[in-house]
Short mmCIF file of all heavy atoms in Angstrom, two decimals:
data_model
loop_
_atom_site.label_atom_id
_atom_site.label_comp_id
_atom_site.label_asym_id
_atom_site.label_seq_id
_atom_site.Cartn_x
_atom_site.Cartn_y
_atom_site.Cartn_z
N ASN A 202 138.16 54.96 171.66
CA ASN A 202 138.24 55.89 172.78
C ASN A 202 136.98 55.73 173.63
O ASN A 202 135.87 55.99 173.16
CB ASN A 202 138.36 57.33 172.30
CG ASN A 202 139.71 57.59 171.65
OD1 ASN A 202 140.67 56.85 171.85
ND2 ASN A 202 139.77 58.64 170.85
N ASP A 203 137.16 55.29 174.85
CA ASP A 203 136.05 55.02 175.76
C ASP A 203 136.08 56.08 176.85
O ASP A 203 136.86 56.00 177.79
CB ASP A 203 136.21 53.62 176.35
CG ASP A 203 134.98 53.18 177.14
OD1 ASP A 203 134.03 53.99 177.24
OD2 ASP A 203 134.97 52.05 177.63
N HIS A 204 135.23 57.11 176.70
CA HIS A 204 135.17 58.22 177.66
C HIS A 204 134.14 57.89 178.72
O HIS A 204 132.97 57.65 178.42
CB HIS A 204 134.80 59.52 176.94
CG HIS A 204 134.74 60.70 177.84
ND1 HIS A 204 135.86 61.23 178.46
CD2 HIS A 204 133.69 61.46 178.24
CE1 HIS A 204 135.50 62.27 179.20
NE2 HIS A 204 134.20 62.42 179.08
N ARG A 205 134.57 57.84 179.99
CA ARG A 205 133.70 57.44 181.08
C ARG A 205 133.57 58.55 182.12
O ARG A 205 134.54 59.22 182.44
CB ARG A 205 134.24 56.19 181.77
CG ARG A 205 134.40 54.98 180.86
CD ARG A 205 134.92 53.80 181.65
NE ARG A 205 135.03 52.60 180.82
CZ ARG A 205 135.31 51.40 181.30
NH1 ARG A 205 135.52 51.24 182.60
NH2 ARG A 205 135.41 50.36 180.49
N ILE A 206 132.34 58.72 182.60
CA ILE A 206 132.08 59.65 183.69
C ILE A 206 131.59 58.84 184.89
O ILE A 206 130.57 58.14 184.80
CB ILE A 206 131.02 60.70 183.30
CG1 ILE A 206 131.47 61.47 182.06
CG2 ILE A 206 130.77 61.66 184.46
CD1 ILE A 206 130.42 62.42 181.52
N PHE A 207 132.31 58.90 186.00
CA PHE A 207 131.97 58.17 187.21
C PHE A 207 131.32 59.12 188.21
O PHE A 207 131.87 60.17 188.51
CB PHE A 207 133.22 57.57 187.86
CG PHE A 207 133.83 56.41 187.11
CD1 PHE A 207 134.52 56.60 185.92
CD2 PHE A 207 133.74 55.12 187.61
CE1 PHE A 207 135.09 55.55 185.24
CE2 PHE A 207 134.30 54.05 186.94
CZ PHE A 207 134.98 54.27 185.76
N THR A 208 130.17 58.72 188.75
CA THR A 208 129.53 59.48 189.83
C THR A 208 129.26 58.54 190.99
O THR A 208 128.46 57.60 190.87
CB THR A 208 128.22 60.12 189.37
OG1 THR A 208 128.45 60.94 188.21
CG2 THR A 208 127.64 61.00 190.47
N TYR A 209 129.96 58.77 192.09
CA TYR A 209 129.79 57.96 193.30
C TYR A 209 128.46 58.33 193.96
O TYR A 209 128.23 59.48 194.32
CB TYR A 209 130.98 58.20 194.24
CG TYR A 209 130.79 57.81 195.67
CD1 TYR A 209 130.31 56.55 196.02
CD2 TYR A 209 131.10 58.71 196.70
CE1 TYR A 209 130.14 56.20 197.35
CE2 TYR A 209 130.94 58.37 198.02
CZ TYR A 209 130.46 57.11 198.35
OH TYR A 209 130.30 56.76 199.66
N LEU A 210 127.57 57.33 194.12
CA LEU A 210 126.22 57.59 194.63
C LEU A 210 126.07 57.27 196.11
O LEU A 210 125.16 57.81 196.76
CB LEU A 210 125.20 56.78 193.83
CG LEU A 210 125.16 57.07 192.32
CD1 LEU A 210 124.14 56.16 191.64
CD2 LEU A 210 124.84 58.53 192.04
N GLY A 211 126.90 56.37 196.64
CA GLY A 211 126.78 56.05 198.06
C GLY A 211 127.27 54.65 198.37
O GLY A 211 127.65 53.88 197.49
N LYS A 212 127.26 54.32 199.67
CA LYS A 212 127.72 53.02 200.15
C LYS A 212 126.59 52.00 200.09
O LYS A 212 125.41 52.34 200.20
CB LYS A 212 128.25 53.13 201.58
CG LYS A 212 129.58 53.85 201.70
CD LYS A 212 130.71 53.02 201.09
CE LYS A 212 132.09 53.59 201.39
NZ LYS A 212 132.53 53.32 202.76
N THR A 213 126.96 50.70 199.97
CA THR A 213 125.99 49.62 199.95
C THR A 213 126.70 48.34 200.40
O THR A 213 127.86 48.39 200.83
CB THR A 213 125.37 49.46 198.55
OG1 THR A 213 124.35 48.46 198.60
CG2 THR A 213 126.41 49.06 197.53
N THR A 214 126.02 47.20 200.32
CA THR A 214 126.61 45.91 200.67
C THR A 214 126.32 44.91 199.56
O THR A 214 125.51 45.17 198.66
CB THR A 214 126.04 45.38 202.00
OG1 THR A 214 124.61 45.22 201.85
CG2 THR A 214 126.32 46.35 203.13
N TYR A 215 126.96 43.74 199.63
CA TYR A 215 126.71 42.70 198.63
C TYR A 215 126.98 41.34 199.27
O TYR A 215 127.95 41.17 200.03
CB TYR A 215 127.62 42.89 197.42
CG TYR A 215 127.32 41.93 196.28
CD1 TYR A 215 126.27 42.18 195.41
CD2 TYR A 215 128.08 40.78 196.10
CE1 TYR A 215 125.97 41.31 194.38
CE2 TYR A 215 127.79 39.90 195.06
CZ TYR A 215 126.73 40.17 194.20
OH TYR A 215 126.44 39.29 193.19
N SER A 216 126.14 40.36 198.98
CA SER A 216 126.31 39.01 199.49
C SER A 216 126.29 38.02 198.34
O SER A 216 125.49 38.15 197.40
CB SER A 216 125.20 38.66 200.49
OG SER A 216 125.26 39.50 201.62
N TYR A 217 127.16 37.03 198.43
CA TYR A 217 127.16 35.95 197.45
C TYR A 217 127.53 34.67 198.20
O TYR A 217 128.63 34.54 198.72
CB TYR A 217 128.15 36.20 196.32
CG TYR A 217 128.26 35.01 195.38
CD1 TYR A 217 127.27 34.77 194.44
CD2 TYR A 217 129.31 34.10 195.49
CE1 TYR A 217 127.32 33.66 193.63
CE2 TYR A 217 129.38 33.00 194.67
CZ TYR A 217 128.38 32.77 193.74
OH TYR A 217 128.44 31.66 192.93
N GLY A 218 126.59 33.72 198.25
CA GLY A 218 126.85 32.49 198.99
C GLY A 218 127.16 32.80 200.44
O GLY A 218 126.41 33.50 201.13
N GLU A 219 128.29 32.28 200.91
CA GLU A 219 128.72 32.55 202.28
C GLU A 219 129.58 33.80 202.40
O GLU A 219 130.01 34.16 203.49
CB GLU A 219 129.48 31.33 202.82
CG GLU A 219 128.63 30.07 202.90
CD GLU A 219 129.40 28.90 203.46
OE1 GLU A 219 130.62 29.05 203.69
OE2 GLU A 219 128.79 27.84 203.67
N LEU A 220 129.84 34.45 201.28
CA LEU A 220 130.65 35.67 201.29
C LEU A 220 129.75 36.89 201.49
O LEU A 220 128.74 37.05 200.79
CB LEU A 220 131.43 35.81 199.99
CG LEU A 220 132.49 34.74 199.69
CD1 LEU A 220 133.11 34.99 198.32
CD2 LEU A 220 133.55 34.74 200.77
N ASN A 221 130.11 37.72 202.43
CA ASN A 221 129.38 38.95 202.69
C ASN A 221 130.35 40.12 202.63
O ASN A 221 131.33 40.17 203.38
CB ASN A 221 128.70 38.90 204.05
CG ASN A 221 127.63 37.83 204.14
OD1 ASN A 221 126.66 37.86 203.41
ND2 ASN A 221 127.82 36.87 205.03
N PHE A 222 130.08 41.05 201.73
CA PHE A 222 130.93 42.23 201.56
C PHE A 222 130.18 43.43 202.11
O PHE A 222 129.15 43.84 201.57
CB PHE A 222 131.29 42.43 200.09
CG PHE A 222 131.98 41.22 199.48
CD1 PHE A 222 131.28 40.35 198.66
CD2 PHE A 222 133.31 40.96 199.74
CE1 PHE A 222 131.90 39.24 198.11
CE2 PHE A 222 133.94 39.87 199.19
CZ PHE A 222 133.24 39.00 198.37
N GLU A 223 130.70 44.00 203.19
CA GLU A 223 130.02 45.09 203.87
C GLU A 223 130.41 46.46 203.34
O GLU A 223 129.71 47.43 203.56
CB GLU A 223 130.32 45.02 205.38
CG GLU A 223 129.86 43.73 206.05
CD GLU A 223 128.34 43.55 205.99
OE1 GLU A 223 127.64 44.57 206.00
OE2 GLU A 223 127.89 42.39 205.94
N ASP A 224 131.55 46.53 202.66
CA ASP A 224 132.05 47.82 202.19
C ASP A 224 132.00 47.87 200.66
O ASP A 224 132.95 47.51 199.98
CB ASP A 224 133.48 48.05 202.68
CG ASP A 224 133.96 49.48 202.44
OD1 ASP A 224 133.25 50.23 201.75
OD2 ASP A 224 135.05 49.83 202.94
N CYS A 225 130.86 48.28 200.14
CA CYS A 225 130.67 48.36 198.68
C CYS A 225 130.12 49.75 198.34
O CYS A 225 129.61 50.47 199.20
CB CYS A 225 129.70 47.29 198.20
SG CYS A 225 130.18 45.59 198.63
N ILE A 226 130.22 50.11 197.07
CA ILE A 226 129.73 51.41 196.62
C ILE A 226 128.90 51.23 195.35
O ILE A 226 129.09 50.27 194.60
CB ILE A 226 130.89 52.40 196.33
CG1 ILE A 226 131.82 51.83 195.25
CG2 ILE A 226 131.65 52.72 197.61
CD1 ILE A 226 132.89 52.80 194.79
N LEU A 227 127.98 52.15 195.14
CA LEU A 227 127.18 52.19 193.92
C LEU A 227 127.64 53.39 193.09
O LEU A 227 127.73 54.51 193.61
CB LEU A 227 125.70 52.31 194.24
CG LEU A 227 124.75 52.31 193.04
CD1 LEU A 227 124.82 50.98 192.29
CD2 LEU A 227 123.31 52.57 193.50
N VAL A 228 127.94 53.14 191.84
CA VAL A 228 128.48 54.18 190.95
C VAL A 228 127.65 54.24 189.67
O VAL A 228 127.32 53.20 189.09
CB VAL A 228 129.96 53.89 190.60
CG1 VAL A 228 130.46 54.85 189.53
CG2 VAL A 228 130.82 54.00 191.85
N LEU A 229 127.30 55.44 189.26
CA LEU A 229 126.73 55.66 187.93
C LEU A 229 127.89 55.87 186.96
O LEU A 229 128.68 56.81 187.13
CB LEU A 229 125.81 56.87 187.91
CG LEU A 229 125.34 57.35 186.53
CD1 LEU A 229 124.55 56.26 185.81
CD2 LEU A 229 124.53 58.62 186.64
N ARG A 230 128.03 54.97 185.98
CA ARG A 230 129.11 55.07 185.01
C ARG A 230 128.51 55.36 183.64
O ARG A 230 127.84 54.54 183.04
CB ARG A 230 129.92 53.76 184.99
CG ARG A 230 131.22 53.85 184.23
CD ARG A 230 132.06 52.62 184.48
NE ARG A 230 131.47 51.43 183.89
CZ ARG A 230 131.97 50.20 184.03
NH1 ARG A 230 133.05 50.02 184.78
NH2 ARG A 230 131.38 49.15 183.48
N GLN A 231 128.73 56.59 183.17
CA GLN A 231 128.22 57.00 181.85
C GLN A 231 129.34 56.86 180.83
O GLN A 231 130.44 57.36 181.02
CB GLN A 231 127.74 58.45 181.93
CG GLN A 231 126.61 58.64 182.93
CD GLN A 231 126.36 60.09 183.25
OE1 GLN A 231 127.12 60.72 183.97
NE2 GLN A 231 125.28 60.64 182.69
N ARG A 232 129.04 56.16 179.74
CA ARG A 232 130.07 55.84 178.77
C ARG A 232 129.74 56.41 177.39
O ARG A 232 128.64 56.21 176.88
CB ARG A 232 130.27 54.32 178.65
CG ARG A 232 130.65 53.63 179.94
CD ARG A 232 130.78 52.14 179.75
NE ARG A 232 131.81 51.81 178.78
CZ ARG A 232 132.02 50.58 178.32
NH1 ARG A 232 131.25 49.58 178.72
NH2 ARG A 232 132.98 50.34 177.46
N ASN A 233 130.70 57.11 176.80
CA ASN A 233 130.64 57.53 175.41
C ASN A 233 131.74 56.78 174.69
O ASN A 233 132.92 57.09 174.82
CB ASN A 233 130.84 59.04 175.28
CG ASN A 233 129.70 59.82 175.91
OD1 ASN A 233 128.55 59.47 175.74
ND2 ASN A 233 130.03 60.86 176.64
N HIS A 234 131.36 55.75 173.96
CA HIS A 234 132.30 54.80 173.37
C HIS A 234 132.47 55.09 171.88
O HIS A 234 131.56 54.89 171.09
CB HIS A 234 131.79 53.38 173.59
CG HIS A 234 132.68 52.32 173.05
ND1 HIS A 234 133.99 52.17 173.45
CD2 HIS A 234 132.45 51.34 172.13
CE1 HIS A 234 134.52 51.14 172.81
NE2 HIS A 234 133.60 50.64 172.01
N ARG A 235 133.63 55.62 171.51
CA ARG A 235 133.91 55.92 170.11
C ARG A 235 134.64 54.75 169.46
O ARG A 235 135.63 54.25 169.98
CB ARG A 235 134.78 57.18 170.00
CG ARG A 235 135.08 57.61 168.56
CD ARG A 235 136.05 58.77 168.53
NE ARG A 235 135.51 59.93 169.22
CZ ARG A 235 134.71 60.81 168.64
NH1 ARG A 235 134.37 60.67 167.37
NH2 ARG A 235 134.26 61.85 169.32
N HIS A 236 134.13 54.29 168.31
CA HIS A 236 134.77 53.20 167.59
C HIS A 236 134.60 53.44 166.10
O HIS A 236 134.19 54.52 165.68
CB HIS A 236 134.19 51.84 168.02
CG HIS A 236 132.70 51.75 167.79
ND1 HIS A 236 132.15 51.03 166.78
CD2 HIS A 236 131.67 52.32 168.46
CE1 HIS A 236 130.84 51.13 166.82
NE2 HIS A 236 130.52 51.91 167.83
N SER A 237 134.94 52.43 165.31
CA SER A 237 134.98 52.63 163.86
C SER A 237 133.62 52.95 163.26
O SER A 237 133.54 53.53 162.18
CB SER A 237 135.56 51.37 163.18
OG SER A 237 134.77 50.23 163.51
N GLN A 238 132.52 52.58 163.94
CA GLN A 238 131.19 52.79 163.39
C GLN A 238 130.47 54.00 164.00
O GLN A 238 129.31 54.21 163.74
CB GLN A 238 130.35 51.52 163.61
CG GLN A 238 130.92 50.30 162.88
CD GLN A 238 130.11 49.05 163.15
OE1 GLN A 238 129.23 49.05 163.99
NE2 GLN A 238 130.41 47.99 162.42
N GLY A 239 131.17 54.76 164.83
CA GLY A 239 130.55 55.95 165.40
C GLY A 239 130.69 56.00 166.90
O GLY A 239 131.65 55.48 167.47
N ILE A 240 129.71 56.61 167.57
CA ILE A 240 129.74 56.78 169.02
C ILE A 240 128.51 56.11 169.64
O ILE A 240 127.39 56.32 169.19
CB ILE A 240 129.76 58.27 169.41
CG1 ILE A 240 131.03 58.94 168.88
CG2 ILE A 240 129.69 58.43 170.93
CD1 ILE A 240 131.11 60.41 169.18
N ARG A 241 128.74 55.31 170.65
CA ARG A 241 127.66 54.72 171.43
C ARG A 241 127.68 55.32 172.83
O ARG A 241 128.73 55.49 173.42
CB ARG A 241 127.83 53.19 171.53
CG ARG A 241 127.73 52.46 170.21
CD ARG A 241 128.04 50.99 170.40
NE ARG A 241 128.02 50.26 169.14
CZ ARG A 241 128.45 49.01 169.01
NH1 ARG A 241 128.93 48.37 170.05
NH2 ARG A 241 128.41 48.41 167.83
N THR A 242 126.49 55.61 173.34
CA THR A 242 126.38 56.18 174.68
C THR A 242 125.45 55.31 175.51
O THR A 242 124.38 54.93 175.04
CB THR A 242 125.83 57.62 174.63
OG1 THR A 242 126.70 58.43 173.84
CG2 THR A 242 125.73 58.21 176.03
N ASN A 243 125.89 54.98 176.72
CA ASN A 243 124.99 54.24 177.60
C ASN A 243 125.34 54.52 179.06
O ASN A 243 126.47 54.91 179.39
CB ASN A 243 125.03 52.73 177.32
CG ASN A 243 126.37 52.11 177.65
OD1 ASN A 243 127.35 52.33 176.94
ND2 ASN A 243 126.43 51.31 178.69
N ASN A 244 124.34 54.37 179.92
CA ASN A 244 124.50 54.56 181.35
C ASN A 244 124.52 53.21 182.04
O ASN A 244 123.70 52.33 181.73
CB ASN A 244 123.36 55.41 181.93
CG ASN A 244 123.36 56.81 181.38
OD1 ASN A 244 124.41 57.36 181.04
ND2 ASN A 244 122.20 57.42 181.29
N GLU A 245 125.44 53.04 182.96
CA GLU A 245 125.58 51.79 183.69
C GLU A 245 125.57 52.07 185.19
O GLU A 245 126.26 52.98 185.66
CB GLU A 245 126.89 51.08 183.34
CG GLU A 245 127.08 50.80 181.86
CD GLU A 245 128.47 50.32 181.54
OE1 GLU A 245 129.41 50.66 182.29
OE2 GLU A 245 128.63 49.61 180.54
#
Side-chain angles (χ1 to χ4, degrees):
N202 291 341
D203 189 358
H204 181 67
R205 301 181 177 188
I206 302 174
F207 289 73
T208 304
Y209 161 51
L210 301 178
K212 288 291 189 76
T213 185
T214 60
Y215 186 80
S216 297
Y217 174 77
E219 297 181 354
L220 296 177
N221 295 299
F222 303 102
E223 300 297 329
D224 190 351
C225 304
I226 59 173
L227 182 64
V228 172
L229 170 60
R230 192 169 68 184
Q231 299 166 285
R232 301 178 61 189
N233 294 317
H234 181 59
R235 182 186 299 275
H236 58 105
S237 58
Q238 298 178 351
I240 298 178
R241 296 174 183 170
T242 301
N243 66 288
N244 295 330
E245 303 170 334

